[in-house]
Coordinates of all heavy atoms in Angstrom, one line a residue:
M662 N 123.3 64.3 131.5 CA 122.9 65.7 131.4 C 123.0 66.4 132.8 O 122.7 65.9 133.7 CB 121.6 65.7 130.8 CG 121.1 67.1 130.2 SD 119.6 66.9 129.2 CE 118.4 67.1 130.4
A663 N 123.5 67.7 132.6 CA 123.7 68.4 133.9 C 122.2 68.9 134.4 O 121.4 69.4 133.6 CB 124.5 69.7 133.6
V664 N 122.1 68.6 135.7 CA 120.8 69.0 136.3 C 121.0 69.9 137.5 O 121.9 69.6 138.3 CB 120.0 67.7 136.7 CG1 118.8 68.0 137.6 CG2 119.6 67.0 135.5
P665 N 120.3 70.9 137.7 CA 120.6 71.8 138.8 C 120.3 71.0 140.3 O 119.4 70.1 140.3 CB 119.5 72.9 138.7 CG 118.6 72.5 137.7 CD 119.3 71.6 136.8
K666 N 121.2 71.2 141.2 CA 121.1 70.4 142.3 C 119.9 70.9 143.2 O 119.4 69.9 144.0 CB 122.5 70.6 143.1 CG 122.8 69.4 144.0 CD 124.3 69.4 144.4 CE 124.8 68.1 144.8 NZ 126.2 68.1 145.0
R667 N 119.6 72.0 143.2 CA 118.6 72.4 144.1 C 117.5 73.2 143.3 O 117.9 73.9 142.3 CB 119.1 73.4 145.1 CG 120.0 72.7 146.2 CD 119.8 73.2 147.5 NE 120.8 72.5 148.6 CZ 120.5 71.3 149.1 NH1 119.2 70.7 148.9 NH2 121.2 70.7 149.9
K668 N 116.3 73.3 143.7 CA 115.2 74.0 143.0 C 115.6 75.4 143.3 O 115.9 75.9 144.5 CB 113.9 73.6 143.7 CG 112.8 74.4 143.2 CD 111.5 74.0 143.7 CE 110.3 74.8 143.2 NZ 109.1 74.3 143.7
T669 N 115.4 76.2 142.3 CA 115.7 77.7 142.4 C 114.3 78.3 143.3 O 113.3 78.0 142.8 CB 115.7 78.4 141.1 OG1 116.8 77.7 140.3 CG2 116.0 79.9 141.2
S670 N 114.7 78.9 144.4 CA 113.7 79.5 145.2 C 112.9 80.7 144.5 O 113.4 81.1 143.5 CB 114.3 80.0 146.5 OG 115.1 81.1 146.2
K671 N 111.7 80.9 145.0 CA 110.9 81.9 144.4 C 111.7 83.3 144.4 O 111.7 84.0 143.5 CB 109.7 82.1 145.1 CG 108.7 81.1 144.9 CD 107.4 81.2 145.8 CE 106.6 79.9 145.9 NZ 105.6 80.1 146.9
W672 N 112.4 83.5 145.7 CA 113.1 84.7 145.9 C 114.3 84.8 144.8 O 114.3 86.0 144.1 CB 113.7 84.7 147.2 CG 114.5 86.0 147.5 CD1 114.0 87.1 147.9 CD2 115.9 86.2 147.4 NE1 115.1 88.0 148.0 CE2 116.2 87.6 147.8 CE3 117.0 85.3 147.0 CZ2 117.5 88.0 147.8 CZ3 118.3 85.9 147.0 CH2 118.5 87.1 147.4
R673 N 115.0 83.7 144.6 CA 116.1 83.8 143.6 C 115.6 84.0 142.2 O 116.2 84.7 141.5 CB 117.0 82.6 143.8 CG 118.3 82.8 143.2 CD 119.4 81.8 143.6 NE 120.0 82.2 145.0 CZ 120.7 83.3 145.2 NH1 121.2 84.0 144.1 NH2 121.2 83.6 146.5
R674 N 114.6 83.3 141.9 CA 114.0 83.4 140.6 C 113.6 84.8 140.3 O 113.9 85.3 139.3 CB 112.9 82.5 140.4 CG 112.3 82.3 139.1 CD 110.8 81.7 139.1 NE 109.9 82.5 140.1 CZ 108.8 82.2 140.5 NH1 108.4 80.9 140.4 NH2 108.1 83.0 141.3
N675 N 112.9 85.3 141.3 CA 112.4 86.7 141.2 C 113.6 87.8 141.0 O 113.4 88.7 140.3 CB 111.4 87.2 142.3 CG 110.1 86.3 142.2 OD1 109.8 85.8 141.1 ND2 109.3 86.2 143.3
Q676 N 114.6 87.5 141.8 CA 115.8 88.4 141.9 C 116.4 88.4 140.4 O 116.9 89.3 139.9 CB 116.7 87.9 142.9 CG 116.4 88.2 144.4 CD 116.3 89.7 144.6 OE1 117.2 90.5 144.3 NE2 115.2 90.2 145.1
R677 N 116.4 87.1 139.9 CA 117.1 87.1 138.6 C 116.3 87.7 137.6 O 116.8 88.6 136.7 CB 117.2 85.6 138.3 CG 117.9 85.3 137.0 CD 118.2 83.8 136.7 NE 116.9 83.2 136.6 CZ 116.5 81.9 137.2 NH1 117.3 81.4 138.0 NH2 115.4 81.5 137.0
R678 N 114.9 87.7 137.5 CA 114.1 88.4 136.6 C 114.3 89.8 136.9 O 114.0 90.7 135.9 CB 112.7 87.8 136.7 CG 112.7 86.4 136.1 CD 111.2 85.8 136.3 NE 111.3 84.4 136.0 CZ 110.3 83.6 136.0 NH1 109.1 83.9 136.5 NH2 110.5 82.3 135.5
A679 N 114.1 90.3 138.2 CA 114.2 91.7 138.5 C 115.4 92.4 138.1 O 115.3 93.6 137.6 CB 114.0 91.8 139.9
Q680 N 116.5 91.7 138.0 CA 117.8 92.3 137.7 C 117.8 92.7 136.2 O 118.1 93.9 136.0 CB 118.9 91.2 137.9 CG 120.0 91.6 138.9 CD 121.0 90.5 139.0 OE1 121.0 89.5 138.3 NE2 121.9 90.7 139.9
S681 N 117.3 91.9 135.4 CA 117.3 92.3 133.9 C 116.3 93.5 133.7 O 116.4 94.4 133.0 CB 116.9 91.2 133.0 OG 115.7 90.6 133.4
F682 N 115.2 93.4 134.5 CA 114.2 94.4 134.4 C 114.7 95.7 134.9 O 114.6 96.8 134.2 CB 113.0 94.0 135.2 CG 111.9 95.1 135.3 CD1 111.1 95.2 134.2 CD2 111.7 95.9 136.4 CE1 110.1 96.3 134.3 CE2 110.8 96.9 136.5 CZ 109.9 97.1 135.4
F683 N 115.4 95.8 135.9 CA 115.9 97.1 136.5 C 117.1 97.6 135.8 O 117.2 98.8 135.6 CB 116.3 96.9 138.1 CG 115.1 96.8 138.9 CD1 114.8 95.7 139.7 CD2 114.2 98.0 139.0 CE1 113.7 95.8 140.5 CE2 113.1 97.9 139.7 CZ 112.9 96.9 140.6
S684 N 118.0 96.7 135.3 CA 119.0 97.2 134.4 C 118.5 97.8 133.1 O 119.2 98.8 132.6 CB 119.9 96.0 134.0 OG 119.3 95.2 133.1
R685 N 117.4 97.4 132.6 CA 116.8 98.1 131.4 C 116.2 99.3 131.8 O 116.3 100.4 131.2 CB 115.7 97.2 130.8 CG 116.2 96.3 129.6 CD 115.2 95.5 129.1 NE 115.1 94.3 129.9 CZ 114.1 93.5 130.0 NH1 112.9 93.9 129.4 NH2 114.1 92.4 130.7
L686 N 115.6 99.4 133.1 CA 114.9 100.6 133.6 C 116.0 101.7 133.9 O 115.8 102.9 133.6 CB 114.2 100.3 134.8 CG 113.0 101.1 135.1 CD1 111.7 100.5 134.5 CD2 112.8 101.3 136.6
K687 N 117.1 101.3 134.6 CA 118.0 102.3 135.1 C 118.9 102.9 134.1 O 119.0 104.2 134.0 CB 118.8 101.7 136.3 CG 118.2 101.7 137.7 CD 119.0 101.0 138.7 CE 118.4 100.9 140.0 NZ 119.1 99.9 140.9
S688 N 119.5 102.0 133.2 CA 120.3 102.5 132.3 C 120.0 102.1 130.8 O 120.5 101.1 130.3 CB 121.8 101.9 132.5 OG 121.7 100.5 132.6
P689 N 119.0 102.8 130.3 CA 118.7 102.5 129.0 C 119.9 103.0 127.9 O 120.4 103.9 128.3 CB 117.4 103.3 128.6 CG 117.4 104.4 129.7 CD 118.2 103.8 130.9
S690 N 120.1 102.2 127.0 CA 121.2 102.6 126.2 C 121.0 104.0 125.5 O 119.8 104.3 125.0 CB 121.1 101.6 124.9 OG 119.9 101.5 124.3
L691 N 121.9 104.8 125.8 CA 121.9 106.2 125.4 C 123.0 106.5 124.3 O 124.0 106.0 124.3 CB 122.1 107.1 126.5 CG 120.9 107.3 127.6 CD1 121.3 108.0 128.8 CD2 119.7 108.0 126.9
S692 N 122.7 107.3 123.4 CA 123.6 107.8 122.4 C 123.5 109.3 122.5 O 122.6 109.8 122.9 CB 123.3 107.2 121.1 OG 122.0 107.6 120.6
E693 N 124.6 109.9 121.7 CA 124.7 111.3 121.7 C 124.2 111.8 120.4 O 124.5 111.4 119.4 CB 126.2 111.8 121.9 CG 126.5 112.0 123.4 CD 127.8 112.5 123.5 OE1 128.5 113.1 122.6 OE2 128.4 112.4 124.6
C694 N 123.4 113.0 120.5 CA 122.8 113.6 119.3 C 124.0 114.2 118.6 O 124.8 114.9 119.1 CB 121.8 114.6 119.8 SG 121.3 115.7 118.3
P695 N 124.1 113.9 117.2 CA 125.2 114.6 116.4 C 125.1 116.1 116.2 O 126.0 116.7 115.9 CB 125.2 113.8 115.2 CG 123.8 113.2 115.1 CD 123.3 113.1 116.4
E696 N 123.9 116.6 116.5 CA 123.6 118.0 116.2 C 123.9 118.8 117.4 O 124.6 119.8 117.4 CB 122.2 118.2 115.8 CG 121.9 117.5 114.3 CD 122.6 118.1 113.2 OE1 122.7 119.4 113.2 OE2 123.1 117.3 112.5
C697 N 123.2 118.5 118.5 CA 123.4 119.2 119.8 C 124.1 118.6 120.9 O 124.5 119.1 122.0 CB 122.0 119.7 120.3 SG 121.0 118.3 120.8
G698 N 124.5 117.3 120.7 CA 125.3 116.6 121.8 C 124.5 116.1 123.0 O 125.3 115.7 124.0
E699 N 123.2 116.3 123.0 CA 122.5 115.8 124.1 C 122.4 114.4 124.2 O 122.4 113.7 123.1 CB 121.2 116.4 124.1 CG 121.0 117.9 124.3 CD 121.1 118.2 125.8 OE1 121.2 117.3 126.7 OE2 121.2 119.4 126.3
R700 N 122.3 113.7 125.3 CA 122.1 112.3 125.4 C 120.6 111.9 125.2 O 119.7 112.3 125.8 CB 122.4 111.8 126.8 CG 124.0 112.1 127.1 CD 124.2 111.7 128.7 NE 124.6 110.2 128.7 CZ 124.6 109.6 129.7 NH1 124.4 110.2 130.9 NH2 124.9 108.3 129.6
I701 N 120.5 111.1 124.0 CA 119.2 110.8 123.6 C 119.0 109.4 123.3 O 120.1 108.6 123.3 CB 118.9 111.5 122.1 CG1 120.0 111.2 121.3 CG2 118.7 113.0 122.4 CD1 119.6 111.5 119.7
L702 N 117.8 108.8 123.2 CA 117.7 107.4 122.9 C 118.0 107.1 121.4 O 117.7 108.0 120.5 CB 116.2 107.0 123.1 CG 115.7 107.3 124.6 CD1 114.1 107.2 124.6 CD2 116.2 106.0 125.4
P703 N 118.5 106.0 121.1 CA 119.0 105.7 119.8 C 117.8 105.4 118.9 O 116.7 105.0 119.4 CB 119.9 104.6 119.8 CG 119.6 103.9 121.2 CD 119.1 105.0 122.1
H704 N 117.8 105.6 117.6 CA 116.8 105.4 116.6 C 115.6 106.2 117.0 O 114.5 105.8 116.6 CB 116.5 103.9 116.6 CG 117.7 103.0 116.4 ND1 118.0 102.1 117.4 CD2 118.6 103.0 115.7 CE1 119.2 101.5 117.1 NE2 119.6 102.1 116.0
R705 N 115.8 107.4 117.6 CA 114.6 108.4 117.8 C 115.1 109.6 117.4 O 116.3 110.0 117.5 CB 114.3 108.1 119.2 CG 113.3 107.1 119.6 CD 113.2 106.7 120.9 NE 112.4 105.5 121.2 CZ 112.8 104.2 121.0 NH1 114.1 104.0 120.7 NH2 112.0 103.3 121.5
V706 N 114.0 110.5 117.0 CA 114.3 111.8 116.7 C 114.7 112.6 118.1 O 114.2 112.4 119.2 CB 113.0 112.5 116.2 CG1 113.3 114.0 116.0 CG2 112.7 111.9 115.0
C707 N 115.7 113.5 118.0 CA 116.3 114.1 119.1 C 115.3 115.2 119.8 O 114.7 115.9 118.9 CB 117.6 114.9 118.8 SG 118.1 116.0 120.1
P708 N 114.8 115.0 121.0 CA 113.7 115.9 121.4 C 114.3 117.3 121.7 O 113.4 118.2 121.8 CB 113.3 115.2 122.9 CG 114.6 114.4 123.2 CD 115.3 114.0 121.9
Y709 N 115.6 117.5 121.7 CA 116.2 118.8 122.0 C 116.1 119.7 120.7 O 116.0 120.9 120.8 CB 117.5 118.6 122.6 CG 117.4 117.8 124.0 CD1 117.8 116.5 124.0 CD2 117.1 118.3 125.2 CE1 117.8 115.8 125.1 CE2 116.9 117.7 126.3 CZ 117.3 116.3 126.3 OH 117.2 115.7 127.4
C710 N 116.7 119.0 119.7 CA 116.7 119.9 118.4 C 115.9 119.3 117.3 O 115.8 120.0 116.2 CB 118.3 119.9 118.0 SG 119.1 118.3 117.6
G711 N 115.4 118.2 117.5 CA 114.5 117.7 116.5 C 115.1 117.1 115.3 O 114.4 117.2 114.2
S712 N 116.3 116.6 115.4 CA 117.0 116.2 114.2 C 117.2 114.6 114.3 O 117.2 114.0 115.4 CB 118.4 116.8 114.0 OG 119.2 116.3 115.1
Y713 N 117.2 114.1 113.1 CA 117.4 112.7 113.1 C 118.1 112.3 111.7 O 117.7 112.6 110.6 CB 116.1 111.8 113.1 CG 116.4 110.3 113.1 CD1 116.9 109.8 114.1 CD2 115.9 109.5 112.0 CE1 117.1 108.4 114.2 CE2 116.0 108.2 112.0 CZ 116.8 107.6 113.1 OH 116.9 106.1 113.0
K714 N 119.2 111.5 111.8 CA 120.1 111.2 110.7 C 120.5 112.4 109.8 O 120.5 112.6 108.6 CB 119.4 110.2 109.8 CG 119.3 108.8 110.5 CD 119.2 107.7 109.4 CE 119.4 106.4 110.1 NZ 119.3 105.3 109.0
G715 N 120.9 113.4 110.6 CA 121.4 114.6 109.9 C 120.5 115.6 109.4 O 120.8 116.7 108.8
R716 N 119.0 115.3 109.5 CA 118.1 116.1 109.0 C 117.2 116.6 110.1 O 117.0 115.8 111.0 CB 117.3 115.4 107.9 CG 118.0 115.2 106.6 CD 117.2 114.5 105.6 NE 116.7 113.2 106.1 CZ 115.5 112.7 106.0 NH1 114.6 113.4 105.5 NH2 115.3 111.4 106.3
E717 N 116.8 117.8 109.9 CA 115.8 118.3 111.0 C 114.3 118.0 110.6 O 114.0 118.3 109.5 CB 116.0 119.8 111.1 CG 115.3 120.5 112.4 CD 115.8 121.8 112.8 OE1 117.0 121.9 112.9 OE2 115.0 122.7 112.8
I718 N 113.7 117.3 111.5 CA 112.4 116.8 111.1 C 111.3 117.6 112.0 O 110.3 118.2 111.3 CB 112.4 115.3 111.6 CG1 113.1 114.5 110.7 CG2 110.9 114.8 111.5 CD1 113.4 113.0 111.1
L719 N 111.4 117.8 113.4 CA 110.4 118.6 114.0 C 110.7 120.0 113.9 O 111.9 120.4 113.9 CB 110.5 118.2 115.6 CG 110.2 116.7 115.9 CD1 110.6 116.4 117.3 CD2 108.8 116.3 115.6
P720 N 109.7 120.8 113.8 CA 109.9 122.2 113.8 C 110.3 122.7 115.2 O 109.9 122.3 116.2 CB 108.5 122.8 113.5 CG 107.6 121.7 114.0 CD 108.3 120.5 113.8
E721 N 111.1 123.8 115.1 CA 111.7 124.5 116.5 C 110.6 124.9 117.2 O 109.9 125.9 116.7 CB 112.7 125.4 116.2 CG 114.0 124.8 115.5 CD 115.0 124.3 116.6 OE1 115.0 124.7 117.7 OE2 116.1 124.0 116.2
T722 N 110.4 124.6 118.4 CA 109.3 125.2 119.3 C 109.7 126.3 120.1 O 108.9 127.2 120.5 CB 108.7 124.1 120.2 OG1 109.7 123.5 120.9 CG2 107.9 123.1 119.4
K723 N 111.1 126.4 120.5 CA 111.6 127.4 121.4 C 112.0 128.7 120.5 O 112.4 128.6 119.4 CB 112.8 127.0 122.0 CG 112.5 125.9 123.2 CD 113.7 125.1 123.6 CE 113.3 124.0 124.4 NZ 114.4 123.0 124.6
Ligands
LIG868 ZN1 119.9 117.2 119.2

């Protein structure tokens, strides 16, 4: 069975964990709103025009 030759240092272990954390923080998956074209989070109501799945849900505040 393959066994790691050296113990992973605290620094390297933390770096590995921090990488996945920061990649999620910096570049969350974004999709474009089909109604207004703004970059929005997927599976959420668009905060710009209030639409989701082709229907307007939130009332227009502006
Ligand atoms: Zn929109």
Side-chain angles (χ1 to χ4, degrees):
M662 202 164 81
V664 166
K666 209 160 195 173
R667 294 219 179 272
K668 179 181 179 177
T669 306
S670 65
K671 287 175 196 170
W672 179 83
R673 191 155 288 285
R674 182 199 63 200
N675 291 341
Q676 287 295 308
R677 188 173 62 226
R678 290 176 186 174
Q680 244 174 6
S681 62
F682 175 75
F683 282 120
S684 68
R685 262 177 279 154
L686 203 96
K687 276 179 187 169
S688 59
S690 53
L691 288 169
S692 62
E693 269 185 22
C694 172
E696 296 295 317
C697 65
E699 288 281 355
R700 297 178 82 192
I701 53 162
L702 293 166
H704 310 118
R705 276 160 186 82
V706 176
C707 174
Y709 302 98
C710 65
S712 73
Y713 184 65
K714 290 210 169 181
R716 287 181 295 137
E717 200 165 292
I718 290 165
L719 297 173
E721 293 264 359
T722 48
K723 284 164 198 170

